[in-house]
Amino acid sequence: MRTFLTVATGLPTILPTAALVVVVCFWLLVAAGLTSVDSFDADIDLRPWGLVGVPVAVVISTMTLLAWALSVGGNLLLALYTPSGAATGLLRLTVPVLALLVAWRLTCLFVRPLHRLFPDEPGRPELGGARDRDHADRAA
């Protein structure tokens, strides 16, 4: 347990740990009713990242949790099974970066099925919706 806490709160994994603390605090505020899940939807466009159809808070929270788990897990494995030295130090620095890239790809996979649980964003016409039928009726 001591090794886990040292890895989770040591450099460089302190960065994903701090981000995870922010995410947990945000979800506590959501649970208390002081903010809503879609608070950041107007601020960030996730289409270029390939993460569409789910609130931004869900996407960022999922990515943060996965990046933290991969970063801490990778650095924990390095701490337990590799000798200390310059090469291990460089590996420890690259683990959070690689963890973030892997977390992004995993988040893309996890978020796609969640699109069905969330309604489309307000202001965007749905394909095949009433607005499209009205437009087709007027054109005919």
Side-chain angles (χ1 to χ4, degrees):
M1 186 61 135
R2 176 181 222 135
T3 306
F4 175 79
L5 290 174
T6 302
V7 167
T9 59
L11 284 175
T13 53
I14 190 69
L15 298 173
T17 300
L20 186 64
V21 169
V22 171
V23 166
V24 168
C25 289
F26 172 77
W27 286 107
L28 287 173
L29 290 173
V30 169
L34 299 173
T35 189
S36 66
V37 174
D38 57 353
S39 299
F40 302 106
D41 287 353
D43 300 330
I44 300 173
D45 183 19
L46 295 176
R47 273 181 264 144
W49 290 16
L51 299 165
V52 178
V54 178
V56 173
V58 173
V59 171
I60 299 298
S61 298
T62 304
M63 192 179 330
T64 302
L65 179 64
L66 289 170
W68 177 82
L70 291 168
S71 179
V72 170
N75 276 315
L76 189 59
L77 288 174
L78 285 174
L80 293 175
Y81 298 113
T82 58
S84 56
T88 303
L90 288 174
L91 281 174
R92 288 189 71 213
L93 290 175
T94 59
V95 166
V97 174
L98 293 174
L100 185 60
L101 294 173
V102 171
W104 171 55
R105 294 307 302 161
L106 288 173
T107 301
C108 288
L109 291 173
F110 293 158
V111 165
R112 287 177 205 245
L114 293 176
H115 175 67
R116 285 179 243 126
L117 297 176
F118 295 95
D120 285 344
E121 295 177 20
R124 274 197 196 158
E126 295 182 24
L127 295 177
R131 183 175 175 185
D132 290 341
R133 283 192 297 269
D134 291 342
H135 182 67
D137 291 339
R138 288 184 201 152

